[in-house]
Amino acid sequence: MNRSDTLSSDAYMVSFLSQGIRHKLGVSETHSAALVRAELHATAMAEHYGTLTTVAWEDGLHACYENGHHVLYRVVLVGGGIDDSATA
């Protein structure tokens, strides 16, 4: 059996921390899609907090707004890898 036959789909949870409270944005199938979800949310929040500057990093991004508001977005692998239900 090929190793790729036993892999299940990955799932990446996107969440953000704002004013000490963690909020979940949802789950995406790829890491890059999860980062796009975070970037879209950060961009939408600019309407409330002013001009947006982001600093991307491997597991998410840090959004900084002109009024001093900061939001930390995290992307975490929550599912996927080897499918334990697969039989040889």
Side-chain angles (χ1 to χ4, degrees):
M1 177 183 291
N2 185 330
R3 176 178 157 83
S4 64
D5 293 340
T6 63
L7 296 179
S8 62
S9 296
D10 290 341
Y12 293 88
M13 171 64 73
V14 183
S15 64
F16 68 96
L17 183 64
S18 178
Q19 299 178 355
I21 301 170
R22 178 149 318 272
H23 306 272
K24 294 180 183 177
L25 284 180
V27 177
S28 297
E29 290 184 8
T30 66
H31 187 265
S32 59
L35 287 175
V36 168
R37 182 187 295 253
E39 290 171 2
L40 289 172
H41 186 267
T43 301
M45 297 307 291
E47 180 179 321
H48 303 288
Y49 298 116
T51 303
L52 168 67
T53 302
T54 60
V55 177
W57 44 286
E58 187 176 323
D59 294 326
L61 62 97
H62 182 188
C64 308
Y65 298 92
E66 73 178 311
N67 76 344
H69 189 73
H70 295 265
V71 180
L72 180 65
Y73 291 87
R74 298 250 352 197
V75 174
V76 179
L77 178 65
V78 294
I82 295 178
D83 184 354
D84 292 332
S85 66
T87 56

